[in-house]
């Protein structure tokens, strides 16, 4: 199946269980995150409740099944003097990968951000996930000299 037979839309409440499953698939290969159904469902619902600040784009088959997702949230960048988009949760179901679906999903999220004035987008990639590093490089995402740090509140 090619990307032309897949539709891209905003996620809906009815999609949450499938999105949680996709996040479990993603988080199982990332060292910094652990699947937690309740936390992921809560986070997805919070993001969907603030459509002016964030979006979850989903890829659907012709039958309406969700097979991929990506989220984007706006922050204000003082470096850019404009909104910037944080891209997260980029995952395509394992059986649907290598068909261009991720590229189409990312483009939809970036279009959403651009339409809201964002001039830059950034994402985090697990440094041990060589396929993801190659994938984003192939799509033109540049490495940065910045390193992520975190603290739990």
């Amino acid at each position: 199946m090619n990307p032309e037979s897949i539709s891209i839309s905003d996620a809906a409440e009815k999609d949450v269980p499938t999105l949680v499953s996709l996040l479990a698939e993603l988080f199982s290969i990332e060292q910094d995150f652990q699947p937690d159904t309740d936390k992921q469902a809560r986070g997805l619902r919070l993001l969907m409740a603030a459509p002016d600040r964030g979006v979850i784009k989903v890829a659907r088959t012709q039958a309406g099944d969700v097979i991929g997702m990506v989220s984007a949230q706006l922050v204000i960048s003082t470096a850019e003097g404009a909104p910037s988009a944080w891209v997260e949760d980029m995952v395509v179901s394992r059986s649907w990968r290598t068909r261009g679906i991720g590229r189409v999903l990312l483009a939809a999220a970036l279009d959403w951000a651009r339409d809201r004035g964002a001039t830059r987008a950034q994402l985090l990639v697990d440094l041990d996930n060589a396929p993801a590093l190659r994938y984003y490089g192939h799509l033109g995402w540049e490495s940065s000299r910045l390193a992520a740090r975190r603290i739990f509140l």
Side-chain angles (χ1 to χ4, degrees), residues 36-49:
D36 182 317
T37 300
D38 292 336
K39 285 182 179 179
Q40 274 83 73
R42 186 169 56 247
L44 291 163
R45 288 185 177 104
L46 284 169
L47 190 51
M48 285 189 278

Side-chain angles (χ1 to χ4, degrees), residues 87-116:
V87 176
E88 294 186 309
D89 305 327
M90 175 59 210
V91 59
V92 173
S93 183
R94 187 169 284 112
S95 61
W96 288 90
R97 292 180 190 160
T98 71
R99 301 177 196 204
I101 297 166
R103 179 182 42 79
V104 175
L105 272 170
L106 279 169
L110 295 177
D111 286 345
W112 174 89
R114 195 176 292 108
D115 290 347
R116 283 152 185 80

Side-chain angles (χ1 to χ4, degrees), residues 6 8 18-30 40 44 56-60 65-72 87-98 100-106 109 123-124 129 132 135-136:
I6 300 296
I8 305 296
T18 303
L19 299 179
V20 167
S21 294
L22 283 169
L23 289 174
E25 192 172 332
L26 176 63
F27 293 168
S28 71
I29 60 173
E30 292 185 343
Q40 274 83 73
L44 291 163
I56 303 167
K57 293 291 185 179
V58 295
R60 296 181 192 280
D65 299 323
V66 173
I67 57 167
M69 68 178 287
V70 65
S71 67
V87 176
E88 294 186 309
D89 305 327
M90 175 59 210
V91 59
V92 173
S93 183
R94 187 169 284 112
S95 61
W96 288 90
R97 292 180 190 160
T98 71
I101 297 166
R103 179 182 42 79
V104 175
L105 272 170
L106 279 169
L123 53 77
L124 300 174
N129 188 342
Y135 178 72
Y136 291 118

